[in-house]
Each structure stands twice: as C-alpha cells, then as structure tokens.
Amino acid sequence: MIPAPLPLELTVLRQPMPARNWSVHLVVNGRHLASHTPSDDTCRAVHGLVDGVRQLLKQQVPWLPGQPQTAPPPDIQNRRLLLHSVGVELFHLWLAPCWDDLQPLLVANPSICLTLLSNTADVLNIPWELLQWPDGTLLGLDPRILFRRRLLGALPPSPSCHSTPTAAATPLTVLFAVASPVELTTTAADEVGFSTPFVSLLSPPLTADPALLSCTVVQHATYPMLQQYVHNIRPQLVCLAGPALISGEQGFFGFEEKDGHADIRSGQEIATGIFANSSVTLTMIVGREANRPPPVAAVAALCQGLVSQQENPAMGWPSSGADPFFSAFLWTFLHNLATDVSVDQAILMARQAIHPACAHMGHPAWVLPVLYA
C-alpha cells in the first residue's frame, strides 16, 4: 500500500499596518517545525523579481521552436537568468532558514503534501512553482511534492491530502462551458481564443477511444445552462472558459444571458449553486483576453472562492486557448487524467511535457496552471 503524503504546511503571514512585517511558519503533521521573520528589504527585492516574471507572462510568445520566426527572437539568456534568479531567491527568502528542518523530511518521505497558507492573496499568487531547491529541482516539477494554495479561512484539505478525479469512473466525463458576453469580449479574437482548443479536443487522437474520455463543449454558456448540464451529464471535470473578474479579493466569472450580455457570478455562488452535491470533483478556470496580460489575480480569486465552499480542488489557467502552450498542456493533462492517475500526477506530466519548449524560450507559461485546495 502506498503511504499517504506527509502533510506539511507553510504559513506566510503579513501583519497589518503599521508594522507590515512578515512571519513564516512551517508545520508538519500539526506539529510546529520552524519559524523565521524575513526582512522587508529582502521581501521587496524578491517581489521585484516576481514582477519581472509577470512582465514576461504579459508578452505573447512570438515564436515556437521549429516554426518560422515572425519576429526577432527575444533575449533568451536574460529571460532564463531572470527565471533562475526568481527560483533561487524564492527559496532563500521563504525556506532557506528552515532548510535544516525541512531537508530530512524530503529525504525520508517519498511524497509530501505542501500546503501554502497565507492571509494575503498576493503571496498565493507568487509563481511558487519556480522555487528551486538546492539540488536544482524546481518545486513545480518535483514529483515528490503535491503543492496546494489556500487562503486562511477557507475549508481545510481532506485528511488524505490526495487529489483524485473520482473513484474509478470510466470514461472521464469533461464539460467545457464557454462564455463570451458582449461587454467583456473586446474583439472577435477573444471568443475564438476561449473556444478553439476545446472544440479541437473533440477530434482524434484524444477522443479516439470513447471509453476513455467523453467531452462536451457548450458555447455561449449561461448560468442555468451550466446547472442543467452538470445535472444531466454528471461530469467529473468542468472547465469554465471565459472572462474572470475581481473586486477586492473576490473572484467572479462572466456567464452569458440569453441576449448575450454578461451575467456575473462569484466563485462562492457557483460552488454552492451548481457544484454542491454534484459529481464534479475538479473545476478548471480558463480565460485571457486577446493582447491582454494573464488575469492571474482574478482567476486565483475565483478558484479561492470555489474552494472556500467545497472540498474539491480548483485549477486556474489564466491563459487563452490561442496561447502557444495551452493546447499541449490541456491535451496531456486530460489524456493522463483519463487513465486514472491523480490530478497532481496529471498536472506534473502536463508541465513536464511543455517545460522543455518553455525553457528553450525562457518563457514561464508552464507555471500558469495552479491548483487550489
């Protein structure tokens, strides 16, 4: 029998004004392991590097390996150096002071469920997957680590800390609900970007074996329409593709009304009004307007709203279907999930599939898919 992952919690707290200082606490199996207080200067320096990563994510990838270059190649070496620096500095800021306590756990346990908890969403939105262990392994590509994000006050994770689709359900039933309300769709490219990859997934080879995967795509999705489809086809995975919005720290999704106008619903409302007592065990949030930066904070807030009302995880991908690595990630993720591997394993395999091309270009797209639980 495979042992359950060791539960490990990394809590990053920011004190309110006027102090505004930080504290970091490491807890294993409910037992306090280590604490430290990083300096404000160090935090500001690392956040400056993180802002550089976000600038890279705002840029459209101008070319892919093996394709004709439509624009001069970007400064690949500087991009790679920035991403490497972010990974090293994230470790030194948050975990290096705890390393003597943490390293023996990594050596002794085949798997660890590392849950990041914080009282501020900004900490959760840091690209933690870039964090680099001293041996050079990246957190987001480390097969030993099941990584979670959770805002303090949300439901705690299940005791097993496993994330699986359902109990041996075949085929894997996936519902894609695509919404492009007129107020929130600035160009025709937005609607194409939301819907194209899901329609293409219905063609072989992914759906060549209907016993393995069953996909349904709903265009112009309304809130009542999603309720009806979730009730009728009983999907295990629902992907909401469309505009993600944020107000304060609350996330919203833009459904369509029958006349095409926006019907704005919060993550909490979607969780309680649609997914409560349903067959859905994983929700994906996808969306990015054409020529706009990835809506990282909005998608994150929407996922946090979903998991605040349910035990099931939510995965955010603040990207467009037209972005270069999206279809490759999604195809690999669903293909592996349909073979009854866990959600964590499927995410890892999909990241591994696109990471070489991302690394070749110095682009951090592989860190965009993020799991909240």
Side-chain angles (χ1 to χ4, degrees):
M1 183 177 178
I2 299 175
L6 178 72
L8 185 66
E9 292 183 352
L10 175 66
T11 303
V12 178
L13 300 176
R14 187 163 196 180
Q15 305 304 320
M17 293 289 284
R20 303 288 286 176
N21 59 315
W22 297 86
S23 63
V24 180
H25 309 273
L26 201 61
V27 174
V28 57
N29 251 339
R31 177 177 58 87
H32 178 266
L33 190 66
S35 297
H36 70 96
T37 303
S39 71
D40 285 345
D41 288 343
T42 305
C43 289
R44 280 193 293 269
V46 172
H47 277 77
L49 291 172
V50 170
D51 286 341
V53 175
R54 291 173 177 156
Q55 291 300 320
L56 291 185
L57 289 169
K58 290 180 181 179
Q59 302 172 18
Q60 297 290 332
V61 180
W63 58 280
L64 288 170
Q67 293 184 348
Q69 295 182 17
T70 57
D75 191 339
I76 302 296
Q77 194 57 37
N78 284 348
R79 287 170 174 251
R80 291 172 179 165
L81 181 60
L82 171 62
L83 296 178
H84 175 80
S85 298
V86 169
V88 171
E89 293 300 333
L90 285 176
F91 172 79
H92 280 284
L93 172 60
W94 303 116
L95 290 177
C98 308
W99 184 239
D100 288 344
D101 299 292
L102 179 58
Q103 185 182 26
L105 299 178
L106 293 176
V107 173
N109 293 274
S111 63
I112 289 177
C113 182
L114 175 60
T115 302
L116 170 69
L117 300 101
S118 183
N119 59 350
T120 172
D122 287 345
V123 169
L124 300 184
N125 295 340
I126 290 173
W128 286 85
E129 287 73 14
L130 290 170
L131 184 145
Q132 188 166 307
W133 301 117
D135 66 0
T137 303
L138 298 173
L139 173 63
L141 298 176
D142 190 339
R144 300 169 298 178
I145 306 296
L146 285 68
F147 189 53
R148 303 282 188 275
R149 287 167 165 87
R150 182 158 56 89
L151 203 60
L152 283 173
L155 287 174
S158 59
S160 66
C161 206
H162 278 297
S163 178
T164 54
T166 61
T170 303
L172 177 67
T173 305
V174 183
L175 172 63
F176 297 101
V178 184
S180 304
V182 292
E183 302 98 321
L184 304 175
T185 306
T186 56
T187 67
D190 293 340
E191 185 168 355
V192 171
F194 289 145
S195 62
T196 299
F198 312 124
V199 175
S200 66
L201 278 171
L202 297 180
S203 61
L206 186 60
T207 56
D209 184 0
L212 190 65
L213 183 68
S214 172
C215 291
T216 301
V217 179
V218 178
Q219 302 274 17
H220 307 292
T222 67
Y223 184 82
M225 187 186 299
L226 181 61
Q227 286 178 313
Q228 180 182 351
Y229 270 88
V230 168
H231 179 266
N232 290 343
I233 71 173
R234 298 185 58 78
Q236 294 115 286
L237 189 157
V238 170
C239 178
L240 298 178
L245 310 170
I246 187 170
S247 177
E249 291 191 354
Q250 190 171 15
F252 301 83
F253 183 81
F255 290 96
E256 295 185 36
E257 296 279 13
K258 289 183 178 180
D259 60 4
H261 289 283
D263 178 14
I264 308 300
R265 306 284 182 142
S266 70
Q268 290 92 331
E269 185 177 2
I270 296 169
T272 57
I274 296 181
F275 298 146
N277 303 314
S278 74
S279 59
V280 177
T281 57
L282 176 68
T283 310
M284 290 177 60
I285 307 295
V286 176
R288 177 180 180 179
E289 293 180 47
N291 302 315
R292 293 291 188 92
V296 173
V299 169
L302 186 51
C303 288
Q304 290 160 16
L306 288 168
V307 301
S308 71
Q309 303 296 318
Q310 60 187 28
E311 291 187 2
N312 296 326
M315 186 172 79
W317 176 286
S319 182
S320 161
D323 286 354
F325 302 102
F326 179 84
S327 292
F329 179 92
L330 190 60
W331 189 96
T332 307
F333 173 72
L334 290 179
H335 176 81
N336 285 291
L337 198 61
T339 61
D340 207 27
V341 305
S342 71
V343 172
D344 297 278
Q345 290 172 312
I347 292 174
L348 174 65
M349 293 172 181
R351 281 189 176 138
Q352 290 172 333
I354 67 172
H355 179 260
C358 289
H360 182 77
M361 289 185 289
H363 195 275
W366 68 274
V367 309
L368 280 174
V370 169
L371 190 66
Y372 293 84

